[in-house]
Amino acid sequence: MEVNRDEAERCIDIATAALTNDQPEKAQKFLEKAQRLFPTEKAKVLLELIAKNGFTPRQDFSGVSGPRQRQDARPEEKSSDTSKSYSADQLDAVRRIKQCKDFYEILGVQADAPEDELKRSYRKLALKFHPDKNHAPGATEAFKAIGNAYAVLSNANKRQQYDQYGEEKKHPSSHSPDNGNFEPDISPEDLFNMFFGGGYPSSNANVYTNGRMRYQRRGRREQQRDGGLALLVQVTPILILVIVSALSQIMVNSPTYSLSFRPSAGYTQKRLTENLKVPYYVGEQFSREFTGLNLKNLERTVEEDFVSNLRNNCWKEKQQKEGMFYRARYFGDTDLYQRAQRARTPSCAKLSEITASLHG
């Protein structure tokens, strides 16, 4: 899941911007996607706020008195005043896109750029010029130009035709009859949703003939059949997982040791590992079955499991503490901020202690 961390953070940024622009449904959609990609405390907190406050996190704070109430009021005023504002950099960027002579220049890549580079460039520019984020005059047209450029260049056949077209290709906005081959196979909005919103449009099927797009609406019966097939595809892995889990429970023997903090059924004898002094519990026959090299190998496994559990718990403690800081800053809650500062992370402390002893 580490691979999805950057994408999840990007979804959270989009959701935060959507909340600022009073688009709670969009914010919820991207936060849920972020949680599916890489669960974080920040996304969880924002989802809880949206659910609790009826899609308006800045409301229902009338009970907060004093400076805290004024802090909540200022961002709201700022949001309403600056929702349509834009920076000089955004305006200059829009002008640059409008002055581009071909699709490659729009995306800022060379003519021999590979597909991965096209994707990276489109991802960066689409977020920068999306109408929800960039309110400069002409930003919507620039966003569409970026989407059209990627849609054509990412299609191998259209890109080959575009490269062979000659001097006319330097004018992608040209409406000459021969330029129809360079019409994109998907709208800029649908392309953006594919990258950041989770899928293709479901209501219409887009059909392209000789570069001209027409819409073919799916029949209700076909939609139901596709929906049933999709449901079956989604449920099948879960059924397989349940069956495999049940079989493994039947076939696998009970573990040799337990890392619980107290005795449990079948694990009543407490022991300490020789190296890190990690406490663990075993059964009554343990001393007879494990001696010498077998015992050393087992204790090494016990210590590795113990350290792995510490790392996981340490990560959870840090996430929880970060969530407290985030809520404190969001609401301007001084008491919560101080509690977050005092919050302890015992697993992290123990992990540091073990690391120091190993390197010492």
Side-chain angles (χ1 to χ4, degrees), residues 97-98 103 106-107 139-151 188:
I97 294 294
K98 287 186 174 182
F103 287 155
I106 288 176
L107 294 180
T140 301
E141 290 74 13
F143 173 76
K144 291 179 179 179
I146 292 164
N148 292 341
Y150 177 78

Side-chain angles (χ1 to χ4, degrees), residues 14-27 55-59 75-76 78-81 83 132:
I14 296 174
T16 306
L19 283 175
T20 305
N21 294 327
D22 293 326
Q23 295 176 311
E25 293 83 0
K26 178 181 177 181
F55 295 109
T56 51
R58 291 190 295 269
Q59 294 179 359
E76 188 172 357
K78 181 179 179 182
S79 173
S80 61
D81 293 337
S83 60
D132 289 342

Side-chain angles (χ1 to χ4, degrees), residues 149-165:
Y150 177 78
V152 170
L153 297 182
S154 62
N155 183 310
N157 294 331
K158 285 185 176 291
R159 182 175 183 178
Q160 184 178 7
Q161 294 173 8
Y162 182 76
D163 291 340
Q164 295 174 353
Y165 193 67

Side-chain angles (χ1 to χ4, degrees), residues 76-334:
E76 188 172 357
E77 294 171 1
K78 181 179 179 182
S79 173
S80 61
D81 293 337
T82 62
S83 60
K84 297 299 181 182
S85 64
Y86 56 89
S87 65
D89 291 340
Q90 289 178 324
L91 185 59
D92 290 341
V94 170
R95 289 172 178 168
R96 185 193 70 78
I97 294 294
K98 287 186 174 182
Q99 293 171 359
C100 290
K101 298 179 181 180
D102 59 42
F103 287 155
Y104 292 104
E105 188 177 357
I106 288 176
L107 294 180
V109 298
Q110 299 296 325
D112 58 350
E115 185 178 353
D116 289 344
E117 186 176 350
L118 292 176
K119 285 182 179 180
R120 287 195 299 271
S121 178
Y122 170 76
R123 188 186 298 274
K124 178 181 178 182
L125 292 173
L127 287 173
K128 182 177 180 181
F129 287 92
H130 194 278
D132 289 342
K133 187 173 183 180
N134 191 330
H135 300 293
T140 301
E141 290 74 13
F143 173 76
K144 291 179 179 179
I146 292 164
N148 292 341
Y150 177 78
V152 170
L153 297 182
S154 62
N155 183 310
N157 294 331
K158 285 185 176 291
R159 182 175 183 178
Q160 184 178 7
Q161 294 173 8
Y162 182 76
D163 291 340
Q164 295 174 353
Y165 193 67
E167 290 299 317
E168 284 294 323
K169 75 178 183 180
K170 295 185 177 180
H171 304 282
S173 60
S174 172
H175 296 286
S176 61
D178 295 335
N179 204 26
N181 289 331
F182 300 144
E183 291 184 3
D185 288 347
I186 189 171
S187 72
E189 293 79 9
D190 290 341
L191 179 63
F192 184 87
N193 289 335
M194 285 171 52
F195 267 78
F196 305 102
Y200 293 90
S202 59
S203 58
N204 296 324
N206 299 336
V207 180
Y208 294 81
T209 307
N210 297 326
R212 302 299 178 185
M213 181 174 68
R214 61 187 178 87
Y215 293 96
Q216 179 180 9
R217 187 169 298 275
R218 294 178 179 177
R220 184 180 303 272
R221 186 174 302 173
E222 182 182 352
Q223 288 183 349
Q224 291 175 350
R225 183 171 63 252
D226 292 344
L229 180 60
L231 180 62
L232 179 61
V233 171
Q234 291 176 356
V235 170
T236 301
I238 300 176
L239 293 176
I240 294 175
L241 183 61
V242 170
I243 294 172
V244 170
S245 176
L247 290 176
S248 64
Q249 291 293 331
I250 295 173
M251 299 175 62
V252 176
N253 294 328
S254 300
T256 309
Y257 60 89
S258 170
L259 286 174
S260 61
F261 296 106
R262 57 181 63 87
S264 56
Y267 305 96
T268 56
Q269 308 298 317
K270 183 177 181 179
R271 295 179 60 92
L272 296 175
T273 61
E274 184 178 354
N275 185 21
L276 298 179
K277 308 300 179 187
V278 174
Y280 66 104
Y281 286 88
V282 297
E284 295 179 355
Q285 304 299 322
F286 179 83
S287 300
R288 299 177 186 176
E289 298 174 0
F290 290 89
T291 56
L293 184 60
N294 287 339
L295 178 60
K296 288 184 179 179
N297 291 336
L298 178 73
E299 289 194 345
R300 188 181 300 113
T301 303
V302 171
E303 291 175 349
E304 289 174 355
D305 286 349
F306 182 73
V307 171
S308 176
N309 290 341
L310 280 181
R311 287 198 183 100
N312 291 334
N313 292 335
C314 176
W315 183 85
K316 292 176 182 177
E317 290 167 359
K318 287 181 177 179
Q319 287 290 310
Q320 186 175 6
K321 191 169 184 176
E322 180 184 346
M324 292 175 67
F325 277 121
Y326 188 83
R327 286 193 293 268
R329 294 190 187 101
Y330 190 87
F331 292 117
D333 192 331
T334 308

